[in-house]
Amino acid sequence: MNTASVSLGASVSSQSRLMQLVLSAFLGIFVIGVVGFSHIDAVHNAAHDYRHSMAFPCH
């Protein structure tokens, strides 16, 4: 019984890590695709200023 619970915990942990990876990828795509290329000046400028504050070369 102890072995089954350990293996179940490992698979849940792997699924949790996969879910975290997928959600972080979608968040990254959203930030780059939607916020970074936004036509709304306030949103675009906020993303642009954040990139500069993190020393990320953007132009």
Side-chain angles (χ1 to χ4, degrees):
M1 186 167 179
N2 193 10
T3 306
S5 64
V6 170
S7 66
L8 179 61
S11 68
V12 170
S13 178
S14 296
Q15 290 174 354
S16 176
R17 288 181 186 165
L18 179 63
M19 184 60 78
Q20 290 174 5
L21 179 64
V22 168
L23 291 176
S24 63
F26 281 131
L27 178 63
I29 290 169
F30 174 76
V31 168
I32 297 297
V34 176
V35 175
F37 295 109
S38 176
H39 295 287
I40 302 171
D41 286 336
V43 173
H44 177 80
N45 289 338
H48 187 256
D49 292 342
Y50 178 74
R51 286 190 301 251
H52 278 289
S53 71
M54 298 303 290
F56 183 80
C58 58
H59 52 86

